């Protein structure tokens, strides 16, 4: 009587094939079989390495730095246009600079502001065009990077619609990045202490610790929303919402660590002349690289969740093509092909 054997679900891969190992599994393999979370971490690392996560993080960093200066130029031009139409606000700013900065440096800064206001229209036009060009390239390469980690086609089906979508995503991402960093900046600066003193809460024991922890919590929430949006919207073809929500936790924690370290770095780097010259540029590049590396890892983690792997198309091998030579169809053809004579 024939007996049937049950398949072991733990040994079935995503092709539906039960895999057995003739040799004893190594220590890492045993840990992967024992702990599902460790197996997921290893899948994340394998996906990150196989798809070139480090390379894409460095490439997106380059495009980020390339885009930041046109953005600053555009923001400066917008500020100059606002000051051009508000003489009272301009006078207050110039007076503040004159009284805050000793010597001729204050007069130099005021002259720079006046020159920027006179040339605000030209600066805005050049800055806007440069921002549009570099920003779309930044967003396009960022989308290509996260899509590569999903092992999906990299090209958009429609070039024009793809660029319009990239522009919308670029604006949304910039707004969310500014908000997340603003939350951390307010929490770590002296502004919070000044506000507490004005409303009479500055003398409460432990209030500084409480507000610091609150700022971290709010920063984590803002970070999570940013990464949820990026992990869900950036890869071509989208991502499962549940998987993106889990991956966003990794991104939120990593980004908060980078922001806290960045605030310490910039506060120390700007305290000496050499750091004031080279520190901001170097620090900006390092922070961008860490942010995009965290983004690549969070994407790799999201792409290797069970939900994502179930939706991943099976990369089956190409069908085999068998060509039958005409000689094989003749009597004794097989023997002639392999060089054997008749017995």
């Amino acid at each position: 009587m024939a007996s049937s054997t049950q398949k072991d679900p733990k040994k079935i891969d995503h092709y539906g094939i039960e895999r057995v190992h003739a040799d004893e599994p190594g220590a890492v393999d045993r840990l992967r079989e024992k702990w599902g979370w460790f197996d997921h971490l290893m899948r994340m690392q394998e996906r990150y390495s196989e798809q070139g996560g480090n390379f894409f993080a460095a490439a997106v960093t380059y495009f980020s730095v390339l885009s930041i200066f046109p953005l600053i130029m555009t923001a400066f031009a917008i500020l100059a246009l606002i000051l051009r139409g508000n003489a009272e606000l301009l006078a207050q700013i110039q007076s503040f600079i004159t009284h805050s900065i000793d010597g001729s440096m204050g007069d130099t800064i005021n002259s720079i502001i006046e020159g920027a206001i006179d040339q605000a229209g030209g600066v805005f036009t050049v800055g806007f065009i440069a921002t549009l060009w570099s920003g779309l390239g930044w967003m396009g390469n960022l989308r290509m990077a996260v899509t590569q980690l999903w092992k999906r086609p990299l090209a958009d089906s429609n070039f024009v619609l793809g660029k319009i979508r990239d522009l919308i995503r670029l604006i949304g991402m910039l707004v969310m990045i500014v908000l997340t960093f603003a939350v951390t900046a307010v929490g770590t600066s002296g502004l919070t202490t000044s506000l507490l003193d004005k409303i009479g809460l500055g003398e409460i024991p432990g209030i500084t610790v409480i507000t610091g922890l609150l700022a971290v919590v709010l920063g984590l929430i803002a970070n999570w929303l940013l990464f949820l949006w990026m992990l869900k919207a950036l890869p071509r073809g989208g991502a499962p919402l549940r998987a993106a929500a889990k991956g966003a936790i990794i991104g939120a924690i990593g980004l908060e660590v980078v922001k806290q370290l960045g605030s310490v770095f910039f506060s120390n780097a700007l305290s000496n002349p050499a750091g004031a010259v080279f520190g901001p540029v170097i620090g900006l590049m390092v922070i961008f690289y860490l942010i995009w590396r965290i983004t690549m890892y969070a994407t790799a983690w999201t792409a290797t969740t069970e939900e994502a792997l179930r939706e991943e198309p099976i990369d089956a091998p190409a069908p085999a093509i068998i060509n039958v030579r005409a000689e094989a169809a003749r009597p004794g053809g097989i023997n002639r092909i392999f060089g054997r004579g008749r017995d």
Side-chain angles (χ1 to χ4, degrees), residues 89-101 110:
L89 178 60
L90 175 59
Q92 292 177 357
I93 292 175
Q94 289 180 325
S95 176
F96 175 78
I97 293 173
T98 302
H99 290 88
S100 300
I101 303 176
N110 282 327

Side-chain angles (χ1 to χ4, degrees), residues 19-338:
R19 305 288 182 178
V20 294
H21 301 280
D23 301 327
E24 280 294 324
V28 175
D29 292 329
R30 289 197 298 269
L31 292 176
R32 293 183 69 165
E33 292 179 1
K34 182 178 180 180
W35 295 320
W37 61 267
F38 182 75
D39 181 54
H40 192 180
L41 285 177
M42 294 302 298
R43 293 200 308 267
M44 175 192 71
Q45 181 59 43
E46 290 168 356
R47 178 68 64 92
Y48 181 89
S49 301
E50 291 171 0
Q51 301 304 117
N54 283 335
F55 169 78
F56 281 111
V60 176
T61 299
Y62 166 78
F63 284 99
S64 302
V65 175
L66 186 66
S67 301
I68 199 68
F69 294 105
L71 285 170
I72 294 174
M73 183 188 299
T74 304
F76 195 76
I78 293 174
L79 179 61
L81 290 172
I82 294 173
L83 293 176
R84 177 188 289 181
N86 194 330
E88 183 179 352
L89 178 60
L90 175 59
Q92 292 177 357
I93 292 175
Q94 289 180 325
S95 176
F96 175 78
I97 293 173
T98 302
H99 290 88
S100 300
I101 303 176
D102 297 330
S104 61
M105 182 60 69
D107 297 333
T108 302
I109 294 176
N110 282 327
S111 64
I112 292 174
I113 293 175
E114 292 173 358
I117 292 174
D118 294 336
Q119 302 175 10
V123 173
F124 177 79
T125 302
V126 175
F128 179 77
I129 295 174
T131 299
L132 188 63
W133 174 77
S134 60
L136 289 178
W138 177 21
M139 178 55 62
N141 284 279
L142 177 58
R143 292 195 67 204
M144 182 183 297
V146 298
T147 303
Q148 179 71 25
L149 290 173
W150 279 89
K151 297 184 178 181
R152 292 175 178 172
L154 302 180
D156 275 314
S157 57
N158 188 299
F159 177 80
V160 177
L161 290 179
K163 291 301 180 183
I164 294 175
R165 295 191 192 103
D166 284 347
L167 178 60
I168 296 173
R169 292 186 180 97
L170 175 64
I171 295 172
M173 187 179 70
L174 289 176
V175 171
M176 296 184 72
I177 288 176
V178 169
L179 290 177
T180 56
F181 276 87
V183 170
T184 301
V186 170
T188 56
S189 66
L191 179 60
T192 304
T193 304
S194 301
L195 291 175
L196 291 173
D197 291 337
K198 288 183 178 180
I199 61 178
L201 299 178
E203 301 299 326
I204 297 179
I207 189 64
T208 305
V209 177
I210 295 174
T211 54
L213 292 175
L214 181 61
V216 172
V217 172
L218 292 177
L220 287 172
I221 294 174
N223 298 345
W224 182 82
L225 292 174
L226 170 63
F227 273 92
L228 175 63
W229 178 83
M230 288 199 299
L231 296 177
K232 176 67 178 172
L234 289 184
R236 292 182 172 93
L241 179 60
R242 183 178 178 182
K246 293 177 182 178
I249 298 175
I250 298 175
I253 296 173
L255 180 58
E256 189 61 29
V257 172
V258 170
K259 288 193 297 184
Q260 297 295 333
L261 292 177
S263 63
V264 174
F265 171 82
F266 280 108
S267 62
N268 293 328
L270 298 177
S271 61
N272 61 82
V277 175
F278 300 105
V281 177
I282 297 174
L284 188 65
M285 293 179 65
V286 172
I287 287 175
F288 268 132
Y289 177 71
L290 292 176
I291 290 174
W292 299 130
R293 188 163 182 174
I294 291 168
T295 303
M296 297 301 111
Y297 267 115
T299 302
W301 195 94
T302 304
T304 53
T305 56
E306 296 295 337
E307 300 93 335
L309 291 177
R310 283 195 295 266
E311 296 183 3
E312 187 175 289
I314 299 176
D315 52 345
I321 300 176
I322 302 175
N323 292 320
V324 180
R325 294 172 59 179
E327 297 177 10
R330 299 170 187 166
I334 296 296
N335 291 330
R336 286 196 298 273
I337 291 174
F338 289 98

